[in-house]
Amino acid sequence: MIRPGARTAALAAALALAACRTTAGAVLRVDPPPSEPGAVADAQQYRIARAIRDVVATDRMECREGSGPVLLSCFPADVGTRSAQVTIQLERSGSGYQVSLVESFLALGGPKALCAVQDRLIRGIDAELGVPSAKPDARGRCAGQPPR
């Protein structure tokens, strides 16, 4: 039987290794509409984070609140068994937000899997905010590909 601490340490080591050998990346720019008058100051941030959590839950990813510039980090809960081994981070960026997707060298699905996750995030964020707000960054790996 594997001790819970050993499993966590192994997961952290695998993620660190994956982060050192990334093969693909994508970036979404999210410019949400203005908050409703009287709304909580970070209401849009919470809605974007909720959309990300909802989307990645289908891929059995875990999310944790971030610290510093990173507001939310999501990563595979079972490294090596999913076709999309993607780490996702939500950060503030100017007047909006940035969602970074980095696929590890362990990924089996290649750019198609990364772009599929990005497309699901765009649809999920836009649905949560009620208006189109998420756009692929032109420098990202999936910028020129049609949505799936």
Side-chain angles (χ1 to χ4, degrees), residues 15-38:
L15 287 173
L17 179 61
C20 292
R21 297 184 182 183
T22 58
T23 60
V27 177
L28 295 176
R29 173 76 190 163
V30 183
D31 293 306
S35 295
E36 301 288 325

Side-chain angles (χ1 to χ4, degrees), residues 13-70:
L15 287 173
L17 179 61
C20 292
R21 297 184 182 183
T22 58
T23 60
V27 177
L28 295 176
R29 173 76 190 163
V30 183
D31 293 306
S35 295
E36 301 288 325
V40 176
D42 292 333
Q44 301 295 35
Q45 173 188 321
Y46 295 127
R47 293 176 73 190
I48 295 166
R50 182 173 49 220
I52 291 170
R53 286 177 194 271
D54 290 347
V55 168
V56 302
T58 60
D59 288 322
R60 296 190 324 219
M61 295 179 74
E62 293 180 17
C63 295
R64 296 212 170 106
E65 298 297 322
S67 59
V70 177

Side-chain angles (χ1 to χ4, degrees), residues 28-117:
L28 295 176
R29 173 76 190 163
V30 183
D31 293 306
S35 295
E36 301 288 325
V40 176
D42 292 333
Q44 301 295 35
Q45 173 188 321
Y46 295 127
R47 293 176 73 190
I48 295 166
R50 182 173 49 220
I52 291 170
R53 286 177 194 271
D54 290 347
V55 168
V56 302
T58 60
D59 288 322
R60 296 190 324 219
M61 295 179 74
E62 293 180 17
C63 295
R64 296 212 170 106
E65 298 297 322
S67 59
V70 177
L71 304 170
L72 180 71
S73 292
C74 301
F75 48 89
D78 50 356
V79 175
T81 61
R82 306 299 295 170
S83 61
Q85 293 295 323
V86 179
T87 301
I88 299 168
Q89 291 188 327
L90 171 64
E91 301 177 53
R92 287 191 199 283
S93 177
S95 62
Y97 299 89
Q98 174 177 301
V99 180
S100 301
L101 296 86
V102 178
E103 186 173 46
S104 78
F105 78 101
L106 296 171
L108 303 173
K112 279 183 154 181
L114 176 79
C115 298
V117 172

